[in-house]
């Protein structure tokens, strides 16, 4: 779904933390979008890596939950959202909350985060 939502943008995908770090060293990015399931639930590890590095900490980092069966309890969701913000994420998007047209709603949410973040196109 993320590929369809971000169509027209130059995308790079990583399946592991090591691949993501390698891509960050090789290229310049305007946005990092990471899902809860990334590399066996290592989203926070990637977020820490990006925000603890002077060269990458300026890149807006959006954490996302794409599937309903992940983090089903509202307390768990609140904990994840709080932790994302505490670690420096720009936003935590719970895509499963988008009701009418989830792809359009996610695109709007990501674009609004981009517009609200200085230096991001």
């Amino acid at each position: 779904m993320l590929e369809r939502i971000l169509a027209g943008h130059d995308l790079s995908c990583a399946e592991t933390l090591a691949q993501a770090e390698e891509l960050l060293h090789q290229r310049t990015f305007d946005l990092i979008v990471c899902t809860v399931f990334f590399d066996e639930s290592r989203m926070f590890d990637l977020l820490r890596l990006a925000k603890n590095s002077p060269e990458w900490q300026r890149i807006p980092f959006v954490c996302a939950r794409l599937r309903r069966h992940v983090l089903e309890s509202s307390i768990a969701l609140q904990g994840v959202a709080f932790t994302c913000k505490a670690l420096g994420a720009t936003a935590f998007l719970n895509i499963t909350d988008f009701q009418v047209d989830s792809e359009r709603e996610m695109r709007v949410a990501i674009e609004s985060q981009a517009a609200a973040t200085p230096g991001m196109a």
Side-chain angles (χ1 to χ4, degrees), residues 52-97:
N52 287 333
S53 171
E55 60 192 313
W56 305 324
Q57 61 189 202
R58 65 151 189 84
I59 304 170
F61 196 111
V62 175
C63 301
R65 173 184 178 236
L66 298 177
R67 297 184 182 115
R68 283 199 186 281
H69 65 278
V70 177
L71 301 170
E72 292 184 75
S73 107
S74 62
I75 293 171
L77 281 170
Q78 289 172 358
V80 169
F82 176 80
T83 303
C84 289
K85 290 301 256 183
L87 293 175
T90 305
F92 173 72
L93 301 179
N94 185 2
I95 307 312
T96 62
D97 280 349

Coordinates of all heavy atoms in Angstrom, one line a residue, residues 52-97:
N52 N 19.6 9.6 16.4 CA 20.8 9.7 17.1 C 22.0 10.1 16.2 O 23.1 10.3 16.7 CB 21.2 8.5 17.9 CG 20.3 8.3 19.1 OD1 19.8 9.3 19.7 ND2 20.0 7.1 19.5
S53 N 21.8 10.1 14.9 CA 22.8 10.4 14.0 C 22.7 11.9 13.5 O 21.6 12.2 12.9 CB 22.8 9.5 12.8 OG 23.6 9.9 11.8
P54 N 23.7 12.7 13.7 CA 23.6 14.1 13.2 C 23.3 14.2 11.7 O 22.6 15.2 11.3 CB 25.0 14.7 13.5 CG 25.6 13.8 14.6 CD 25.0 12.4 14.3
E55 N 23.7 13.3 10.9 CA 23.5 13.4 9.5 C 22.1 13.0 9.1 O 21.6 13.4 8.0 CB 24.5 12.5 8.7 CG 24.5 11.1 9.1 CD 25.7 10.3 8.6 OE1 26.0 10.4 7.4 OE2 26.2 9.5 9.4
W56 N 21.4 12.3 9.9 CA 20.0 11.8 9.6 C 18.9 12.4 10.5 O 17.7 12.3 10.1 CB 19.9 10.3 9.6 CG 21.0 9.6 8.8 CD1 21.4 10.0 7.6 CD2 21.7 8.4 9.1 NE1 22.4 9.1 7.1 CE2 22.5 8.1 8.0 CE3 21.6 7.5 10.2 CZ2 23.4 7.0 8.0 CZ3 22.5 6.4 10.1 CH2 23.3 6.2 9.1
Q57 N 19.3 13.0 11.6 CA 18.2 13.4 12.5 C 17.3 14.5 12.0 O 16.2 14.6 12.4 CB 18.8 13.8 13.9 CG 19.7 15.0 13.8 CD 20.4 15.2 15.1 OE1 20.9 16.3 15.3 NE2 20.6 14.2 16.0
R58 N 17.7 15.2 10.9 CA 16.8 16.2 10.3 C 15.7 15.6 9.5 O 14.7 16.2 9.1 CB 17.6 17.2 9.5 CG 18.2 16.5 8.3 CD 18.5 17.4 7.1 NE 18.9 16.6 6.0 CZ 18.0 16.0 5.1 NH1 16.8 16.0 5.3 NH2 18.5 15.3 4.1
I59 N 15.9 14.3 9.1 CA 14.9 13.7 8.2 C 13.6 13.3 9.0 O 13.7 12.6 10.0 CB 15.5 12.3 7.6 CG1 16.8 12.6 6.9 CG2 14.4 11.7 6.7 CD1 17.5 11.3 6.5
P60 N 12.5 13.8 8.6 CA 11.2 13.5 9.2 C 11.0 12.0 9.2 O 11.2 11.3 8.2 CB 10.2 14.2 8.4 CG 10.9 15.3 7.7 CD 12.3 14.7 7.4
F61 N 10.6 11.4 10.3 CA 10.4 10.0 10.5 C 9.0 9.7 10.9 O 8.5 10.2 11.9 CB 11.3 9.5 11.6 CG 11.6 8.0 11.6 CD1 12.8 7.5 11.3 CD2 10.5 7.1 12.0 CE1 13.0 6.1 11.3 CE2 10.7 5.8 12.0 CZ 12.0 5.2 11.7
V62 N 8.2 9.0 10.0 CA 6.8 8.7 10.3 C 6.7 7.2 10.6 O 7.1 6.4 9.7 CB 5.9 9.1 9.1 CG1 4.5 8.7 9.3 CG2 6.0 10.6 8.8
C63 N 6.2 6.9 11.7 CA 5.9 5.5 12.1 C 4.5 5.2 11.7 O 3.6 6.1 11.8 CB 6.1 5.3 13.6 SG 7.8 5.8 14.2
A64 N 4.2 4.0 11.3 CA 2.9 3.6 10.9 C 2.5 2.2 11.3 O 3.3 1.3 11.3 CB 2.8 3.8 9.3
R65 N 1.2 2.1 11.6 CA 0.5 0.8 11.8 C -0.4 0.6 10.7 O -1.3 1.4 10.4 CB -0.2 0.8 13.1 CG -1.0 -0.4 13.4 CD -1.9 -0.3 14.7 NE -2.7 -1.4 14.9 CZ -4.0 -1.3 15.1 NH1 -4.6 -0.2 15.1 NH2 -4.7 -2.4 15.3
L66 N -0.2 -0.5 9.9 CA -1.0 -0.7 8.7 C -2.0 -1.8 8.9 O -3.0 -1.9 8.1 CB -0.1 -1.1 7.5 CG 1.0 -0.1 7.1 CD1 1.8 -0.7 6.0 CD2 0.3 1.2 6.6
R67 N -1.9 -2.7 9.8 CA -2.8 -3.8 10.0 C -3.5 -3.8 11.3 O -2.9 -3.6 12.3 CB -1.9 -5.1 9.9 CG -1.3 -5.3 8.5 CD -0.6 -6.6 8.4 NE 0.1 -6.7 7.1 CZ 1.4 -6.8 7.0 NH1 2.2 -6.8 8.0 NH2 1.9 -6.9 5.8
R68 N -4.8 -4.1 11.3 CA -5.6 -4.1 12.5 C -5.1 -5.1 13.5 O -5.2 -4.8 14.7 CB -7.0 -4.4 12.2 CG -7.7 -3.2 11.6 CD -9.2 -3.4 11.7 NE -9.9 -2.3 11.0 CZ -10.0 -1.1 11.5 NH1 -9.5 -0.8 12.6 NH2 -10.6 -0.2 10.8
H69 N -4.7 -6.3 13.1 CA -4.3 -7.3 14.1 C -3.0 -7.0 14.9 O -2.6 -7.8 15.8 CB -4.3 -8.7 13.5 CG -3.2 -8.8 12.4 ND1 -3.3 -8.4 11.2 CD2 -2.0 -9.4 12.6 CE1 -2.2 -8.6 10.5 NE2 -1.4 -9.2 11.3
V70 N -2.3 -5.9 14.5 CA -1.1 -5.6 15.2 C -1.5 -4.5 16.3 O -2.1 -3.5 16.0 CB -0.1 -4.9 14.2 CG1 1.1 -4.5 14.9 CG2 0.2 -5.9 13.1
L71 N -1.0 -4.7 17.5 CA -1.3 -3.8 18.6 C -2.8 -3.5 18.7 O -3.2 -2.4 18.6 CB -0.5 -2.5 18.4 CG 1.0 -2.6 18.2 CD1 1.6 -1.3 17.8 CD2 1.6 -3.0 19.6
E72 N -3.5 -4.5 19.0 CA -5.0 -4.3 19.1 C -5.5 -3.6 20.3 O -6.5 -2.9 20.2 CB -5.7 -5.7 19.0 CG -5.4 -6.4 17.7 CD -6.2 -7.7 17.6 OE1 -7.4 -7.6 17.4 OE2 -5.5 -8.7 17.7
S73 N -4.8 -3.6 21.4 CA -5.2 -2.9 22.6 C -5.0 -1.4 22.5 O -3.9 -0.9 22.0 CB -4.6 -3.5 23.8 OG -3.6 -2.6 24.4
S74 N -5.9 -0.6 22.9 CA -5.7 0.9 22.9 C -4.6 1.3 23.7 O -3.9 2.3 23.4 CB -7.0 1.6 23.3 OG -7.4 1.3 24.6
I75 N -4.3 0.6 24.8 CA -3.2 1.0 25.7 C -1.9 0.7 25.0 O -1.0 1.6 25.0 CB -3.2 0.2 27.0 CG1 -4.5 0.7 27.8 CG2 -2.0 0.4 27.8 CD1 -4.8 -0.2 29.0
A76 N -1.8 -0.4 24.3 CA -0.6 -0.7 23.5 C -0.3 0.4 22.4 O 0.8 0.9 22.2 CB -0.6 -2.1 22.9
L77 N -1.4 0.8 21.7 CA -1.3 1.8 20.7 C -0.9 3.1 21.3 O 0.0 3.8 20.7 CB -2.7 2.0 20.0 CG -3.0 0.9 18.9 CD1 -4.4 1.1 18.5 CD2 -2.0 1.0 17.7
Q78 N -1.4 3.5 22.4 CA -1.0 4.8 23.0 C 0.4 4.7 23.4 O 1.2 5.7 23.3 CB -1.9 5.0 24.3 CG -3.3 5.4 24.0 CD -4.2 5.5 25.2 OE1 -3.7 5.2 26.3 NE2 -5.5 5.8 25.0
G79 N 0.9 3.5 23.9 CA 2.3 3.4 24.3 C 3.2 3.5 23.1 O 4.3 4.2 23.2
V80 N 2.8 2.9 22.0 CA 3.7 3.0 20.8 C 3.7 4.4 20.3 O 4.8 5.0 20.0 CB 3.1 2.1 19.7 CG1 3.8 2.3 18.3 CG2 3.4 0.6 20.1
A81 N 2.5 5.1 20.2 CA 2.5 6.5 19.8 C 3.3 7.4 20.7 O 4.1 8.2 20.2 CB 1.1 7.0 19.7
F82 N 3.2 7.2 22.0 CA 4.0 8.0 22.9 C 5.5 7.7 22.7 O 6.3 8.7 22.7 CB 3.6 7.6 24.4 CG 4.5 8.4 25.4 CD1 4.2 9.7 25.7 CD2 5.5 7.7 26.0 CE1 5.0 10.3 26.7 CE2 6.3 8.4 26.9 CZ 6.1 9.7 27.3
T83 N 5.9 6.5 22.6 CA 7.3 6.1 22.4 C 7.9 6.7 21.1 O 9.0 7.2 21.1 CB 7.5 4.6 22.5 OG1 7.0 4.1 23.7 CG2 9.0 4.2 22.3
C84 N 7.1 6.6 20.1 CA 7.5 7.2 18.8 C 7.8 8.7 18.9 O 8.9 9.2 18.5 CB 6.4 7.1 17.7 SG 6.2 5.4 17.2
K85 N 6.9 9.4 19.6 CA 7.2 10.9 19.8 C 8.4 11.1 20.7 O 9.2 12.0 20.4 CB 5.9 11.5 20.3 CG 4.8 11.6 19.3 CD 5.1 12.4 18.1 CE 4.5 13.8 18.1 NZ 4.8 14.5 16.9
A86 N 8.5 10.3 21.8 CA 9.6 10.5 22.7 C 10.9 10.2 22.1 O 11.9 10.8 22.4 CB 9.4 9.5 23.9
L87 N 11.0 9.3 21.1 CA 12.2 9.0 20.4 C 12.5 10.0 19.2 O 13.5 9.9 18.5 CB 12.2 7.6 19.9 CG 12.2 6.5 21.0 CD1 12.1 5.1 20.4 CD2 13.5 6.6 21.8
G88 N 11.6 10.9 18.9 CA 11.8 11.9 17.9 C 11.1 11.7 16.6 O 11.3 12.5 15.6
A89 N 10.1 10.8 16.6 CA 9.3 10.6 15.3 C 8.5 11.9 15.1 O 8.0 12.5 16.0 CB 8.5 9.4 15.4
T90 N 8.3 12.2 13.8 CA 7.4 13.3 13.4 C 6.0 12.9 13.7 O 5.2 13.8 14.2 CB 7.6 13.6 11.9 OG1 9.0 13.8 11.6 CG2 6.7 14.7 11.5
A91 N 5.6 11.7 13.5 CA 4.2 11.2 13.7 C 4.1 9.7 13.8 O 5.0 9.0 13.3 CB 3.3 11.7 12.6
F92 N 3.1 9.3 14.5 CA 2.7 7.9 14.4 C 1.3 7.8 13.8 O 0.3 8.4 14.3 CB 2.6 7.3 15.8 CG 2.0 5.9 15.8 CD1 2.8 4.8 15.4 CD2 0.8 5.6 16.3 CE1 2.3 3.5 15.3 CE2 0.2 4.3 16.3 CZ 1.0 3.3 15.8
L93 N 1.2 7.2 12.6 CA 0.0 7.1 11.9 C -0.6 5.8 12.1 O 0.0 4.8 11.7 CB 0.2 7.4 10.4 CG 0.8 8.7 10.0 CD1 0.9 8.8 8.5 CD2 -0.1 9.9 10.5
N94 N -1.8 5.7 12.6 CA -2.6 4.5 12.8 C -3.5 4.4 11.5 O -4.6 4.8 11.6 CB -3.4 4.4 14.1 CG -4.0 3.1 14.3 OD1 -3.9 2.2 13.5 ND2 -4.8 3.0 15.4
I95 N -3.0 3.8 10.5 CA -3.7 3.7 9.2 C -5.0 3.0 9.3 O -5.9 3.3 8.6 CB -2.8 3.1 8.1 CG1 -1.4 3.7 8.1 CG2 -3.5 3.1 6.8 CD1 -1.4 5.2 8.0
T96 N -5.1 2.1 10.3 CA -6.3 1.3 10.4 C -7.5 2.2 10.9 O -8.6 1.9 10.8 CB -6.2 0.2 11.4 OG1 -5.8 0.6 12.7 CG2 -5.1 -0.8 10.9
D97 N -7.1 3.4 11.4 CA -8.2 4.4 11.8 C -8.8 5.1 10.6 O -9.9 5.7 10.8 CB -7.6 5.5 12.8 CG -7.5 4.9 14.2 OD1 -8.0 3.9 14.5 OD2 -6.8 5.7 15.0

